[in-house]
């Protein structure tokens, strides 16, 4: 009996040690960037974690500097992320509702196609998308990013949303049809109110993607006024003429604030949507 207690205590202690190490690895870089944004001077490096003197000059510089259009970049990114989120979530819900509730020819083929396409990295199609956007004269426009982000949303969310919708009893649909409800009324008045956890999960994931994306935004956007936050902040430290890393850290903190707030307040719905959607395929 004592041997079992020793093994159980050892496993428990080892688990705590691993959790502490993982917490330090995750928190320390974020804490360094946060404190570095308040550090005076132009260098992010310091011998101590806590700055000797705290200053808000780097935050002021982001909004008052003539070479850094942080406010404009922030609004550009917010517009792109919100519109992409709304359209992408709607497309994903409509797609998942169709494959969950209806049986039609080519249904399995469509699901297999979505599954296979979702396995490939997005950057593999960037050249083709770039050429299409060039032919449509959409380069250096926010509309191009919104179209691509929203159109790609069903590839990543259809199966999870379908799994969630499969858990909603079909008897509700049948009862509504007996009362004369159309498929659109069933979708808007029954399915959507019952899918708040899944909608929350899809909305958060679809918002975060455009909010932090750099590669595709850098490929499409050319003029400085149209840049997103990721492109603008990278440009701040990409050249030898501008290496103001504390200002870069301040911008990173401002980027992280909206996402952090959303995850904190919507954490319960996020977990419910993810676990419910994973219960069926």
């Amino acid at each position: 009996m004592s041997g079992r207690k020793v093994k159980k205590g050892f496993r428990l202690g080892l688990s705590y040690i691993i959790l502490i190490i993982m917490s330090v690895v995750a928190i320390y870089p974020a804490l360094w960037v946060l404190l570095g944004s308040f550090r005076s001077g132009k260098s992010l490096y310091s011998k101590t974690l806590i700055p000797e003197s705290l200053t808000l000059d780097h935050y002021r510089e982001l909004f008052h500097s003539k070479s850094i259009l942080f406010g404009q970049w922030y609004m550009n990114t917010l517009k792109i992320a919100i519109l992409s989120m709304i359209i992408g979530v709607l497309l994903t819900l409509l797609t998942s509702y169709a494959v969950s509730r209806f049986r039609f020819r080519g249904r399995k083929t469509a699901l297999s196609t979505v599954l296979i396409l979702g396995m490939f990295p997005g950057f593999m199609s960037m050249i083709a998308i770039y050429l299409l956007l060039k032919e449509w004269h959409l380069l250096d426009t926010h509309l191009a990013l919104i179209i691509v982000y929203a159109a790609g949303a069903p590839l990543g969310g259809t199966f999870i949303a379908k799994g969630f919708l499969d858990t909603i009893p079909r008897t509700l649909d049948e009862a509504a049809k007996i009362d004369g409800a159309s498929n659109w009324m069933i979708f808007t008045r029954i399915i959507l109110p019952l899918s708040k956890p899944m909608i929350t999960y899809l909305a958060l994931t679809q918002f975060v993607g455009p909010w932090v994306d750099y590669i595709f935004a850098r490929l499409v956007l050319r003029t400085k006024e149209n840049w997103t936050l990721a492109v603008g902040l990278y440009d701040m430290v990409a050249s030898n003429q501008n290496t103001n890393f504390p200002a870069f850290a301040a911008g990173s903190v401002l980027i992280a604030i909206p996402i952090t707030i959303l995850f904190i307040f919507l954490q319960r719905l996020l977990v419910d949507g993810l676990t419910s959607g994973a219960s069926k395929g």
Side-chain angles (χ1 to χ4, degrees):
M1 192 69 178
S2 59
R4 291 183 179 179
K5 289 183 178 180
V6 171
K7 291 182 179 180
K8 185 177 180 180
F10 176 77
R11 288 197 298 266
L12 184 62
L14 183 61
S15 301
Y16 277 115
I17 292 174
I18 294 175
L19 289 175
I20 291 173
I21 294 174
M22 294 176 62
S23 300
V24 171
V25 171
I27 294 175
Y28 184 78
L31 186 61
W32 184 274
V33 172
L34 176 61
L35 296 176
S37 66
F38 297 101
R39 184 174 289 114
S40 58
K42 299 292 184 179
S43 176
L44 191 62
Y45 173 76
S46 176
K47 294 181 180 180
T48 58
L49 177 62
I50 300 176
E52 297 178 357
S53 60
L54 302 178
T55 178
L56 294 174
D57 291 341
H58 303 299
Y59 288 92
R60 298 190 188 98
E61 181 181 358
L62 292 176
F63 295 97
H64 294 91
S65 174
K66 295 182 179 180
S67 61
I68 302 175
L69 307 178
F70 188 83
Q72 178 103 29
W73 299 338
Y74 207 96
M75 295 307 298
N76 292 342
T77 310
L78 191 64
K79 177 182 70 174
I80 293 171
I82 291 178
L83 292 177
S84 300
M85 176 189 68
I86 295 173
I87 300 173
V89 169
L90 181 60
L91 290 177
T92 303
L93 289 174
L94 290 174
T95 304
S96 58
Y97 176 71
V99 297
S100 173
R101 286 302 196 260
F102 302 109
R103 297 296 181 268
F104 51 89
R105 181 178 299 178
R107 175 178 173 272
K108 292 184 178 180
T109 303
L111 286 173
S112 300
T113 302
V114 171
L115 178 62
I116 293 172
L117 290 177
M119 294 179 179
F120 292 96
F123 61 82
M124 290 183 63
S125 60
M126 282 190 178
I127 301 301
I129 293 175
Y130 175 83
L131 294 176
L132 286 175
L133 295 177
K134 184 179 181 181
E135 290 295 324
W136 295 341
H137 304 287
L138 290 176
L139 289 180
D140 198 26
T141 63
H142 296 157
L143 179 60
L145 295 179
I146 294 172
I147 291 174
V148 175
Y149 291 144
L155 295 179
T158 295
F159 273 88
I160 296 178
K162 175 187 175 298
F164 183 90
L165 296 182
D166 287 342
T167 63
I168 300 177
R170 295 177 181 271
T171 54
L172 297 177
D173 300 29
E174 297 170 356
K177 287 182 178 180
I178 292 175
D179 292 336
S182 62
N183 290 324
W184 179 253
M185 292 176 64
I186 294 173
F187 176 73
T188 55
R189 299 186 182 183
I190 297 178
I191 300 299
L192 290 184
L194 295 175
S195 303
K196 289 181 180 179
M198 177 53 56
I199 294 174
T200 302
Y201 166 76
L202 293 175
L204 282 176
T205 54
Q206 185 60 25
F207 179 85
V208 171
W211 185 259
V212 300
D213 179 57
Y214 167 79
I215 299 177
F216 187 71
R218 184 67 183 88
L219 180 68
V220 174
L221 302 177
R222 303 304 176 87
T223 57
K224 195 171 186 177
E225 292 76 13
N226 289 334
W227 283 354
T228 58
L229 283 170
V231 179
L233 288 181
Y234 177 78
D235 183 73
M236 288 173 55
V237 294
S239 61
N240 295 328
Q241 289 77 19
N242 192 354
T243 55
N244 192 349
F245 287 100
F248 178 88
S252 302
V253 172
L254 294 178
I255 291 176
I257 288 176
I259 300 176
T260 304
I261 294 175
L262 287 175
F263 272 89
I264 290 175
F265 286 98
L266 300 176
Q267 183 178 10
R268 182 181 61 82
L269 291 174
L270 177 64
V271 174
D272 290 343
L274 184 59
T275 53
S276 299
S279 61
K280 287 187 179 182

